[in-house]
Amino acid sequence: MKVIFEDKHILVLEKPQNIPIQRDRSGSKNLLDQALDYLEFSCGKPDPYLGLVHRLDRHTGGIVVFAKHLQATRTLSALFASHMITKKYLARVEGNVKSNYTKLTHYLLTDSKQNCVTVVAPGTEGAKKAILDLTVTSVYHLAEGDLSDVSVTLHTGRQHQIRAQLSAIGHPVLGDVKYGSTWKNTAKDSMALWSTELSFNVFGMKYHFHSSPPFEGNWKIL
């Protein structure tokens, strides 16, 4: 766990890949408990409070914001829900993404039992609209095949949105077996998806945070 920023309202951390945001059935270590331990034992704050205002998938790394008091939780939760936040991700995907800039719009249907989403036709009952912008930053021509690095800007915040939408256009995230990755030389239990930028205006402040993935796992495959 790396502390990116802290003030009286928020605590911003860099989440490692392959750990959950909060406790789950696996019982493995989670970011929220680590953050609470940091406030209590490193900062000397007994019984600290942290509010969860957004999430990243277990296998996604990068920027996570926690609220440090109840009013901040309410304010930030409303801000995230209203999409008044700029969220950017870096994904390494299979194949050569030909278009340098693309706006993707799909409709996603959630299967809570399988913990996945499916791209469905517009008008499907229960489906939610998902929109993102996609910009190619690098293309790698390797012996095993092509890989592309793409910068993703989210306009909606649906479950597994980036993973499902990239898979739907034939470019699954490297290492994301659930959504169609077939690359043979991927790191086990690793997925090349990282929350790189987060910016928003609140509490009379302009916040802008940046994070880069470590050169390991599927980020090191090149």
Side-chain angles (χ1 to χ4, degrees), residues 5-22:
F5 177 84
E6 182 181 2
D7 65 11
K8 65 180 181 180
H9 301 295
I10 61 175
L11 175 65
V12 184
L13 303 178
E14 183 178 89
K15 183 181 97 62
Q17 291 184 274
N18 304 325
I19 71 167
I21 289 282
Q22 60 189 128

Side-chain angles (χ1 to χ4, degrees), residues 86-101:
T86 299
K87 294 183 285 185
K88 293 187 177 183
Y89 292 74
L90 177 64
R92 179 163 290 167
V93 303
E94 297 181 10
N96 185 344
V97 181
K98 300 293 185 180
S99 177
N100 186 51
Y101 171 79

Side-chain angles (χ1 to χ4, degrees), residues 26-219:
S26 72
S28 58
K29 67 178 181 178
N30 65 87
L31 190 67
L32 178 58
D33 283 348
Q34 290 183 54
L36 289 169
D37 285 346
Y38 160 76
L39 290 177
E40 182 171 1
F41 299 111
S42 296
C43 301
K45 299 177 181 178
D47 299 319
Y49 170 92
L50 280 179
L52 187 62
V53 297
H54 72 122
R55 290 169 172 80
L56 294 179
D57 295 340
R58 170 191 285 267
H59 299 300
T60 303
I63 304 167
V64 175
V65 177
F66 291 102
K68 293 180 68 177
H69 54 83
L70 182 58
Q71 186 54 52
T73 300
R74 292 170 176 166
T75 300
L76 286 168
S77 295
L79 198 66
F80 272 89
S82 66
H83 310 301
M84 297 296 290
I85 291 178
T86 299
K87 294 183 285 185
K88 293 187 177 183
Y89 292 74
L90 177 64
R92 179 163 290 167
V93 303
E94 297 181 10
N96 185 344
V97 181
K98 300 293 185 180
S99 177
N100 186 51
Y101 171 79
T102 304
K103 181 180 287 292
L104 300 182
T105 301
H106 293 97
Y107 290 81
L108 305 180
L109 187 64
T110 301
D111 183 337
S112 56
K113 291 183 179 180
Q114 298 297 323
N115 188 32
C116 67
V117 300
T118 303
V119 173
V120 296
T124 300
E125 183 178 358
K128 296 181 179 180
K129 192 175 186 178
I131 305 171
L132 60 79
D133 289 338
L134 184 70
T135 303
V136 180
T137 58
S138 300
V139 177
Y140 309 97
H141 304 291
L142 308 177
E144 300 91 336
D146 293 340
L147 296 175
S148 301
D149 285 349
V150 296
S151 175
V152 175
T153 301
L154 286 181
H155 295 288
T156 53
R158 310 303 183 197
Q159 179 183 353
H160 296 181
Q161 175 180 342
I162 297 173
R163 299 165 64 184
Q165 288 193 266
L166 292 177
S167 178
I169 64 170
H171 297 289
V173 175
L174 184 65
D176 188 7
V177 177
K178 176 176 283 191
Y179 288 96
S181 176
T182 59
W183 195 270
K184 294 181 180 179
N185 295 324
T186 55
K188 184 179 179 182
D189 297 326
S190 179
M191 180 175 66
L193 183 60
W194 195 269
S195 172
T196 55
E197 290 187 49
L198 201 61
S199 58
F200 51 90
N201 299 335
V202 71
F203 311 128
M205 297 281 291
K206 293 183 178 180
Y207 295 103
H208 183 216
F209 307 110
H210 182 270
S211 172
S212 298
F215 190 60
E216 62 185 29
N218 284 328
W219 300 109

